[in-house]
Amino acid sequence: MFPQAGAGLVAYVVPDVDPVDHRRAVRHDYTAVVDKITTDSRGRESSGAGRDAHNSHLVAKSVLELACGSGRERLARAIDAERYFGLDLSFVALSDVGASARRSGLRQVELTLGDTIDAELFEGDDFDLVVCDSPAHRFPDAEYLRRALTAALAATGSGGRVHFGGIRDLPLVRAMHAASVVSGAPDDVEGSVLEERWRRQLSEQGELLVDARWFRDFPGAAHVEVRPRPAGSSESAAPFSFDVVAWRDGTRRTVEVPTWLHWSVGALDQAAALLADRVEALGLRRVPRAGVAGAVKIARVLENRTGTPAGELRMLAAEVDAAAVRPEHLAALGARFGYDCRFSRAGGWPDGELDVAFVRRSDDQAPGSAPLPRFPFGELGDRAHANDPVHHSLLAEARTWLVPELRRHASKALPAHQRPLVHHLVAELPRTEHGAVDLAMLPAPDETPGLGLLDRTAI
């Protein structure tokens, strides 16, 4: 089918590839990447185990680690554990973890080859902590994430919790890639070049992206936190990612936040006054986050095709970030008055804003031990809350070989006026209720591939 688009024809192409086979290939490729990273990093890691300060809360007597990988940070989960069990798809990574554990004298470490969803084999094993840090963006789809998280919860015991880290934030995907293309670009790089790079990165985006609101009322969890990824993380995508912590039962105390202030110019001063009055708990909603707000601004400028060069884009971002808030400054404010400060992306705000809660500690409580605030989740609505990376990967791969082949075939079989000007790959053609192709729902040829309606899936 070749609907008219401007002066040329558009061919909408559906690749004939089995998604199940492609999903297996994607996971196989991921394992190969882990093997290579592990091999390349040999000799650069310390022989002992250490702990990353940002993950110091991931400590428990019994730990099940999914996609345990290799290196100091992940093996650090075993330092204080009496029982540690690690799974990974990569035999190479497991071999390195085992060797490091032996060198460090960590005899409580057990390792086995397995996928993340093999947590289902540990149902009822009563682990205090099940952790899967960082590989979630490589999962093939949201259903896989749901199965893995459900299985992890079932593997915990009374008072147990699950930590899934590094989940890419769906509403922030455009900002994430905008920050990427502008970062490091010389000031005089033209906006048109940056716009092209940005759209190309979006079209090649093959990671799992999830809206934080999906975790609302997650089955099997008594309480769920959606925490922004720590600002000090070395990952470039950290500001555009979040961690999910799910508690199996009500053993961990929680508290309702009675007062929520919506962010405004004077909200911070108002909050400080209330904290000085020793209120039990206080919340701020839609707090703009420095580092993310600027990236969102860059993405909007790139989307509008204004041609703004890199240097000016960075200046615009800096102005926006200067008016936003750094989470560590809010944490310091809470600490000054004896409050624990918690942050959340549960609202799913489109520009990456955070909800913030201050909970007062008693005089004998250590920092971090106050009850957990119950953050309000945003409404799910009818829109999709995850992309479909398998379909996207399938389209991206087909684009590299199928489109050139179709062009060669058309050049031989069709006269010039009948040859498509654009080949637009889609996972499926939209249909009317009668089964006919719905022409009105076909994506425009200039839409960014991989982020349109046909590449998104409801969970």
Side-chain angles (χ1 to χ4, degrees), residues 421-445:
L421 179 65
V422 176
H423 290 79
H424 193 91
L425 272 69
V426 293
E428 60 182 345
L429 294 173
R431 301 282 177 177
T432 67
E433 58 181 333
H434 303 296
V437 174
D438 190 341
L439 300 181
M441 291 300 293
L442 285 169

Side-chain angles (χ1 to χ4, degrees), residues 137 168 173 176-177 199-209 387-389 392-393 396 449-451:
H137 58 282
R168 299 289 186 259
V173 61
M176 178 173 69
H177 288 292
R199 292 179 186 279
R200 185 170 67 250
Q201 282 196 21
L202 286 172
S203 72
E204 295 171 355
Q205 160 67 43
E207 298 178 337
L208 176 64
L209 309 165
N387 67 336
D388 188 340
H392 178 86
S393 173
L451 291 176

Side-chain angles (χ1 to χ4, degrees), residues 62-372:
S62 59
V63 178
L64 170 62
E65 182 151 16
L66 311 173
C68 61
S70 64
R72 291 171 54 90
E73 182 181 343
R74 297 193 175 187
L75 190 56
R77 320 273 193 252
I79 293 175
D80 297 315
E82 297 173 2
R83 177 190 179 205
Y84 175 94
F85 209 110
L87 283 81
D88 201 283
L89 274 172
S90 167
F91 180 79
V92 175
L94 282 178
S95 298
D96 274 23
V97 172
S100 183
R102 288 189 294 274
R103 288 193 299 269
S104 302
L106 299 175
R107 304 189 180 202
Q108 72 276 32
V109 171
E110 297 180 66
L111 303 169
T112 190
L113 198 66
D115 208 342
T116 306
I117 55 174
D118 287 331
E120 294 168 341
L121 302 174
F122 295 86
E123 181 176 357
D125 275 15
D126 294 342
F127 284 97
D128 297 325
L129 170 66
V130 180
V131 59
C132 180
D133 197 35
S134 293
H137 58 282
R138 297 291 186 183
F139 289 172
D141 51 36
E143 172 60 19
Y144 185 97
L145 173 60
R146 184 200 64 77
R147 278 186 63 187
L149 186 52
T150 300
L153 280 166
T156 61
S158 176
R161 68 194 189 279
V162 170
H163 175 103
F164 272 55
I167 299 171
R168 299 289 186 259
D169 200 328
L170 177 59
L172 297 181
V173 61
R174 292 175 180 271
M176 178 173 69
H177 288 292
S180 173
V181 299
V182 172
S183 175
D187 287 348
D188 59 352
V189 173
E190 295 181 1
S192 59
V193 174
L194 297 172
E195 290 158 8
E196 171 59 27
R197 291 176 184 172
W198 178 65
R199 292 179 186 279
R200 185 170 67 250
Q201 282 196 21
L202 286 172
S203 72
E204 295 171 355
Q205 160 67 43
E207 298 178 337
L208 176 64
L209 309 165
V210 183
D211 192 309
R213 292 171 289 183
W214 177 61
F215 296 94
R216 177 180 182 168
D217 301 323
F218 196 90
H223 180 69
V224 176
E225 295 180 282
V226 183
R227 304 173 177 175
R229 196 77 168 155
S233 173
S234 59
E235 307 165 44
S236 61
F240 312 99
S241 306
F242 56 82
D243 298 345
V244 169
V245 182
W247 303 80
R248 181 170 181 174
D249 54 34
T251 304
R252 183 67 160 92
R253 287 181 57 209
T254 60
V255 63
E256 290 288 353
V257 179
T259 303
W260 288 96
L261 305 178
H262 285 267
W263 184 256
S264 62
V265 174
L268 200 55
D269 291 337
Q270 188 179 357
L274 290 169
L275 295 179
D277 288 340
R278 304 295 290 163
V279 295
E280 188 67 26
L282 174 68
L284 296 171
R285 302 212 74 189
R286 296 199 74 166
V287 178
R289 186 173 20 152
V292 173
V296 170
K297 177 66 174 179
I298 292 174
R300 286 186 175 143
V301 175
L302 293 175
E303 192 163 18
N304 290 332
R305 300 178 186 268
T306 60
T308 308
E312 291 184 29
L313 286 174
R314 275 193 285 269
M315 291 176 60
L316 285 173
E319 291 175 8
V320 173
D321 282 336
V325 179
R326 295 192 178 280
E328 58 268 27
H329 293 169
L330 292 174
L333 174 67
R336 177 153 57 96
F337 292 103
Y339 287 78
D340 281 351
C341 183
R342 303 273 182 174
F343 305 94
S344 178
R345 275 290 291 152
W349 305 116
D351 292 345
E353 303 99 319
L354 301 178
D355 291 336
V356 183
F358 301 92
V359 180
R360 192 177 71 192
R361 299 190 303 268
S362 61
D363 293 338
D364 59 345
Q365 283 183 315
S369 58
L372 299 174

